[in-house]
């Protein structure tokens, strides 16, 4: 019997990834004349950005301060944060989980402040009893540590839990933690190949917890 649901955050609950990709692509082209294919950006979805940095380095001789670049892009995103909303059907699924007395948490490779700020913006912060972020672990996804920490704090076993993800890296982390995993891909992850052990749904409304 399922006792808990653990959601990924970026791209799963809120589709920040499509906006991140658009901003990254536009800034790299405008400032450094670097073209960023979606296939390259998708490699770092759900994990660290090293592969993305390596790709950009290979496309330009200009030295780029990626910390500064990330801050610039994040600032641009927050200027347009009204575009950031819960994905369609996510609120209903959370409500359904609560009505079944399931514990609900988040396991995300993003920083805590980023997650907390957007959860407050979309008015669902109180729905999650546990939030595990990159600030809580030594390695992010696809390492399973985020999920293992979330399981521990939720006080549930892997087989009592459902993970909901949007990316290949995230799903590997959940699978490695022993958790049944569902994928709801978004605009920038829908073309990815997912592990055969996951179930893929196009919409949150397709997931029937009962």
């Amino acid at each position: 019997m399922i006792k808990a649901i653990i959601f990924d955050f970026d791209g799963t609950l809120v589709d920040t990834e499509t906006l991140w990709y658009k901003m990254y692509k536009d800034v790299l082209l405008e400032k450094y004349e670097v073209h960023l294919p979606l296939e390259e950006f998708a490699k770092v979805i759900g994990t660290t950005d090293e592969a993305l940095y390596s790709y950009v380095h290979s496309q330009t001789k200009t030295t780029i301060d990626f910390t500064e670049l990330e801050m610039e892009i994040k600032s641009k995103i927050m200027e347009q944060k009204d575009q950031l909303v819960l994905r369609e059907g996510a609120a209903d699924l959370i409500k359904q989980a609560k009505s079944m007395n399931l514990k609900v948490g988040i396991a995300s490779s993003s920083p805590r402040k980023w997650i907390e700020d957007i959860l407050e913006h979309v008015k669902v912060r109180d729905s999650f009893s546990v939030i595990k972020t990159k600030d809580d672990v030594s390695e992010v996804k696809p390492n399973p540590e985020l999920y293992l920490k979330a399981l521990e704090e939720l006080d549930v076993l892997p087989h009592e839990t459902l993970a909901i993800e949007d990316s290949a890296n995230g799903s590997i982390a959940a699978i490695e933690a022993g958790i049944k995993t569902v994928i709801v891909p978004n605009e920038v992850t829908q073309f990815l190949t997912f592990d055969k052990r996951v179930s893929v749904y196009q919409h949150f409304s397709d997931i029937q917890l009962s």
Side-chain angles (χ1 to χ4, degrees):
M1 179 180 291
I2 296 294
K3 294 182 179 179
I5 297 181
I6 303 175
F7 288 89
D8 171 55
F9 180 69
D10 287 289
T12 301
L13 282 171
V14 180
D15 188 10
T16 55
E17 286 163 358
T18 299
L19 192 54
W20 263 102
Y21 173 59
K22 181 181 183 303
M23 294 298 181
Y24 237 115
K25 182 175 67 170
D26 291 350
V27 170
L28 286 174
L29 186 60
E30 180 182 338
K31 296 184 72 171
Y32 305 105
E33 298 183 342
V34 171
H35 292 269
L36 179 61
L38 179 55
E39 292 78 8
E40 293 297 330
F41 180 80
K43 291 177 182 177
V44 302
I45 292 174
T47 186
T48 59
D49 290 334
E50 276 76 9
L52 177 59
Y53 300 161
S54 296
Y55 169 78
V56 174
H57 274 307
S58 74
Q59 300 300 304
T60 180
K61 294 181 179 178
T62 304
T63 300
I64 299 175
D65 184 330
F66 285 101
T67 300
E68 186 176 304
L69 177 64
E70 296 258 342
M71 288 176 62
E72 178 182 353
I73 293 171
K74 189 173 291 186
S75 176
K76 287 178 178 291
I77 289 174
M78 295 313 287
E79 288 172 5
Q80 300 185 42
K81 71 177 182 179
D82 287 346
Q83 294 185 35
L84 299 178
V85 297
L86 282 174
R87 289 182 62 191
E88 185 176 356
D92 289 337
L93 188 64
I94 293 169
K95 185 177 180 181
Q96 184 183 353
K98 292 289 189 179
S99 72
M100 297 171 64
N101 294 316
L102 301 183
K103 299 176 181 180
V104 184
I106 287 175
S108 170
S109 296
S110 294
R112 178 172 297 276
K113 187 177 187 312
W114 167 258
I115 297 167
E116 296 270 7
D117 286 350
I118 297 178
L119 287 176
E120 292 288 351
H121 170 67
V122 297
K123 298 179 171 59
V124 292
R125 173 61 186 86
D126 292 342
S127 298
F128 304 96
S129 58
V130 169
I131 299 176
K132 291 299 177 185
T133 74
K134 68 177 294 183
D135 304 324
D136 301 308
V137 294
S138 56
E139 286 190 57
V140 296
K141 304 170 186 176
N143 187 294
E145 187 179 2
L146 275 163
Y147 276 106
L148 294 173
K149 294 253 187 186
L151 288 170
E152 182 180 9
E153 191 162 332
L154 287 166
D155 193 26
V156 290
L157 297 173
H159 71 271
E160 299 172 330
T161 308
L162 178 69
I164 302 183
E165 280 278 353
D166 72 297
S167 73
N169 286 314
S171 64
I172 291 169
I175 291 168
E176 290 298 316
I179 302 171
K180 179 179 174 60
T181 306
V182 165
I183 299 285
V184 186
N186 59 51
E187 187 177 329
V188 299
T189 62
Q190 59 186 347
F191 71 92
L192 296 176
T193 300
F194 299 106
D195 191 287
K196 63 183 180 181
R197 290 169 289 182
V198 306
S199 300
V200 180
Y201 295 97
Q202 295 307 309
H203 307 284
F204 279 97
S205 58
D206 296 333
I207 302 171
Q208 299 300 316
L209 297 179
S210 58

